Amino acid sequence: ETGVTQSPTHLIKTRGQQVTLRCSSQSGHNTVSWYQQALGQGPQFIFQYYREEENGRGNFPPRFSGLQFPNYSSELNVNALELDDSALYLCASSPTSGRATDTQYFGPGTRLTVL
Amino acid sequence: AQRVTQPEKLLSVFKGAPVELKCNYSYSGSPELFWYVQYSRQRLQLLLRHISRESIKGFTADLNKGETSFHLKKPFAQEEDSAMYYCALPYYTGGFKTIFGAGTRLFVKA
């Protein structure tokens, strides 16, 4: 069984640019959540997708958007990057139910630096 | 509003000593709480969830609704328990969400 993978591992962007981060969920998991983790903080929930539809969103502006695909992959897109967007971005997949109370299986994260 | 508080950023104990990592929550519904752990150079992973009432790696956590707490305990700490521990609360308010605490770094000294 393949675990959750994320790409790229590291990324450097300039303020104002756009970025796309990718995640491949564990096979059979149709729920994916994205988190932003700043240094020294716990993960902050961005949004959750279930069967390609967003079914939960945290306190993040609309320039954070996502997509989930039928092949268990997903994307996090961030437009108009700001310096404060520099963080580790985690994706986590869960089996079946689309609720938030399933165990989440985390990827290794993508480290985004905005200059 | 929903909130998860882990009051200690760092907890240092000697090997063989008892350890308790504190987690307090604020939630109007019936909570289903989790503890996740991140060992050095590894990804975040589930340690235990209260609904399963399991003991994992000697750790237990009891949900105390009166004190709104879900503290993680182990009677005898081991060096391999050194890690970052996060308490998490999934909930539903206009959509499914999860809130994590800021985490506690446990350091077990030899």
Side-chain angles (χ1 to χ4, degrees), chain A residues 3-5 35 37 40-45 48 55-58 88 90 98-108, chain B residues 9 32 34 36 38 43-46 49 51 84 86 88-103:
Chain A
V4 178
T5 60
Y35 293 87
Q37 187 174 23
Q41 303 291 321
Q44 300 291 313
F45 177 78
Q48 177 177 295
N55 72 342
R57 189 175 183 92
L88 181 69
L90 300 168
R99 302 172 63 200
T101 51
D102 292 323
T103 297
Q104 296 184 63
Y105 295 82
F106 283 84
Chain B
K9 277 188 129 20
E32 295 187 40
F34 291 72
Y36 285 88
Q38 186 166 28
R43 62 186 67 188
L44 204 53
Q45 61 186 281
L46 176 72
R49 51 188 298 184
I51 198 170
M84 196 73 190
Y86 295 96
L89 169 68
Y91 64 97
Y92 184 90
T93 302
F96 293 106
K97 305 173 188 183
T98 302
I99 182 167
F100 277 76

